[in-house]
Amino acid sequence: MKPGLKCDVVVLRVALVCLALVGCGGGTADSGTPSGSEPLPESAPPAAQAVPDSESADSALAAEGWETVANQYQTFTLDKPSTVRFGLGDTWVTRELAAGRVYCFFDPDPAPGKFKTCQRSTQPAPVSEPALSPACASFYAPDFALTSTRQASPIPTVAKPAKGVAVSEPTYKTCVVRATDHTADGVSGFARNDYSRRQAFNANSTKQLVAALDGYWHVYDANTHVRLKQLSGPGGDAEPQWHPTNPDLLYYLPTVGIGMKLHELNVSTGASRVVGDFGARLKARWPAAMAAWTKSEGSPSANGRYWCFMVDANDWISAGVFTWDRDTDTILGTYDTQGERPDHVSMSPSGNHCVVSGDGARGTVAFSRDFSTKTQLLATSQHSDLALDANGDDVYVAIDYGSNAGDVFMVNLRTGVRTALFSTYLSGTATALHVSGKAFARPGWVVVSTYSDGGGSLQWLHRKVMAVQLKANPTVYTLAHHRSTPNGYWTTPVASVNRDFTRVVFNSNWGSGSDTDVDTYVVEIPAGALK
């Protein structure tokens, strides 16, 4: 093509794309690089070259459920927190972003050398609900502030609360509500939060998922704490995961993944459908494959699109790991484990990484979605979770008992940089803990719940439910004492946070010492409490 003609075509295409962007809602394209955003790469072309001659103007058209808000190297403004993806075709980097100005270039570049766009999800947002339940709605004074003092305070004795009644945590002045009474509710054995790495609350925190000793799953009204129903479908290790935007939907697997399918269940109507049938595809790759699951500790990406599963063959011999795109029903990548069975696997919140955790030679590794690259996170598998830091990057948060100080730490999955958060080996003591990174709408924070400490006197972090900031020398707010006396696994608090970090559920036998007299409790905090 002649240089003069090429210039005319490029200018025309830029003009057409700019006109197309005028009608985009939610995100408004503008110019310049915003403060605090990713810096302009040295290789970035000027605006007139933003649409290469090799690309058609149609490349900026968005698929159903998305709208284009900017071209590569432009900036745009989000009027509310949104799911934004950067890329083209089937290759995207997806992030959950706060309201404000955004630079349209995400690192890593999903398709180097190709024209890309930024697109905002247009899926309907969850129905807005009050941040706090009626029991806690009028609990807090306007000047309430969480406590960040790291002090080993004595644990006051508090009578076991009645179900649904707000009580004040004496030391930290937070609102705690007993959410279940398994005996009165007719729930077998106990009524527990299943695990810290799984979201207990639905998309708008109106429903809460509860596990019973007999393997059944129950749904409670998260505001009134009335038990709504026992679910039909999921049983035992079914790994239920709430839909990210529809408050009535959840996903679940057949028990321990046998059958290699993913189901979607409407908890209000009982309607169910298969959204992923992996059997034939997995048997073509691994002929002896029989189960596909995360081994009860994994989650999909924050937007529910990308999933990572481990595959077990006959006699529970590990065959491999695969990643899957829910929206296109496509297996994106596979990895042979060579018989080294993971402890668990999980997708990162952005959907860019599959984290395979184990105690074998591989240790804990973050693979890219197609398994072409990997980042070593830890030599072993420890209690951990995946979260978003304040910049929207995926981070692995865990405890390292092999470090000199027993550090709780995080690793940025994109850069590989490890940051120590706080030490747990204090005055000769040690403690067990769990991490919950499910506050995707409040990036930069996780919940840590500690239990089963020993080796010396009570330390500032022991027997607590805490909000931990994801940065060096973090702020740590104590939310509550969980008051669960250790007596086997069922009594562990395994605290889990909701998406906007206004509710944290935890388990407790409330000092009884019983191994099964366990119920769930919720500590609720105002939406602006984390500073």
Side-chain angles (χ1 to χ4, degrees), residues 217-280:
W217 295 87
H218 300 260
V219 175
Y220 279 69
D221 186 307
N223 289 320
T224 65
H225 308 294
V226 171
R227 188 182 75 88
L228 299 177
K229 63 169 58 178
Q230 176 180 292
L231 293 180
S232 176
D237 282 342
E239 304 188 15
Q241 307 279 355
W242 286 110
H243 190 281
T245 58
N246 189 322
D248 286 327
L249 298 182
L250 61 74
Y251 302 103
Y252 72 93
L253 300 170
T255 304
V256 298
I258 295 176
M260 298 177 285
K261 294 180 180 180
L262 180 67
H263 301 263
E264 180 186 83
L265 173 67
N266 187 310
V267 300
S268 294
T269 67
S272 180
R273 67 186 182 108
V274 174
V275 293
D277 188 345
F278 314 120

Side-chain angles (χ1 to χ4, degrees), residues 148-198:
S148 61
T149 304
R150 300 188 183 187
Q151 182 176 347
S153 303
I155 303 175
T157 299
V158 176
K160 181 184 283 190
K163 177 184 169 180
V165 176
V167 297
S168 177
E169 171 60 57
T171 306
Y172 306 107
K173 310 305 179 186
T174 51
C175 185
V176 178
V177 182
R178 182 180 176 184
T180 66
D181 181 336
H182 65 90
T183 301
D185 296 342
V187 176
S188 173
F190 52 60
R192 295 181 70 253
N193 177 53
D194 183 57
Y195 201 56
S196 56
R197 295 175 60 115
R198 185 171 298 121

Side-chain angles (χ1 to χ4, degrees), residues 421-437:
L421 299 175
F422 60 86
S423 302
T424 65
Y425 293 164
L426 303 178
S427 301
T429 68
T431 188
L433 58 81
H434 287 97
V435 181
S436 179

Side-chain angles (χ1 to χ4, degrees), residues 126-133 202-207 221 223 247 500 502-503:
V127 178
S128 178
E129 294 288 339
L132 303 182
S133 72
N202 67 343
N204 60 3
S205 295
T206 58
K207 295 181 177 69
D221 186 307
N223 289 320
D500 65 4
T502 57
R503 305 188 190 198

Side-chain angles (χ1 to χ4, degrees), residues 230-450:
Q230 176 180 292
L231 293 180
S232 176
D237 282 342
E239 304 188 15
Q241 307 279 355
W242 286 110
H243 190 281
T245 58
N246 189 322
D248 286 327
L249 298 182
L250 61 74
Y251 302 103
Y252 72 93
L253 300 170
T255 304
V256 298
I258 295 176
M260 298 177 285
K261 294 180 180 180
L262 180 67
H263 301 263
E264 180 186 83
L265 173 67
N266 187 310
V267 300
S268 294
T269 67
S272 180
R273 67 186 182 108
V274 174
V275 293
D277 188 345
F278 314 120
R281 286 174 284 180
L282 296 182
K283 284 182 176 293
R285 181 72 177 81
W286 298 290
M290 68 165 189
W293 59 326
T294 74
K295 205 162 172 281
S296 297
E297 296 188 24
S299 296
S301 58
N303 64 4
R305 176 171 182 175
Y306 297 107
W307 300 66
C308 174
F309 296 104
M310 55 186 275
V311 179
D312 285 319
N314 297 331
D315 297 324
W316 300 101
I317 295 172
S318 181
V321 179
F322 72 98
T323 52
W324 175 70
D325 182 340
R326 177 204 61 190
D327 291 2
T328 63
D329 190 20
T330 304
I331 290 180
L332 304 172
T334 60
Y335 170 78
D336 289 322
T337 54
Q338 308 295 331
E340 185 181 323
R341 192 171 190 237
D343 180 79
H344 63 272
V345 301
S346 183
M347 209 71 194
S348 68
S350 73
N352 292 330
H353 305 276
C354 169
V355 176
V356 180
S357 184
D359 288 314
R362 184 179 52 245
T364 297
V365 176
F367 288 96
S368 58
R369 195 167 28 191
D370 62 0
F371 298 97
S372 62
T373 62
K374 65 179 181 180
T375 300
Q376 192 72 40
L377 303 177
L378 195 62
T380 59
S381 176
Q382 298 293 352
H383 285 164
S384 63
D385 201 7
L386 299 163
L388 294 172
D389 69 10
N391 296 319
D393 275 342
D394 293 322
V395 290
Y396 168 79
V397 186
I399 186 168
D400 185 358
Y401 290 111
S403 63
N404 290 336
D407 289 333
V408 173
F409 69 97
M410 67 178 182
V411 177
N412 185 303
L413 302 193
R414 178 176 60 86
T415 66
V417 173
R418 172 168 165 158
T419 303
L421 299 175
F422 60 86
S423 302
T424 65
Y425 293 164
L426 303 178
S427 301
T429 68
T431 188
L433 58 81
H434 287 97
V435 181
S436 179
K438 295 297 177 276
F440 300 133
R442 191 64 173 89
W445 294 85
V446 296
V447 161
V448 173
S449 52
T450 57

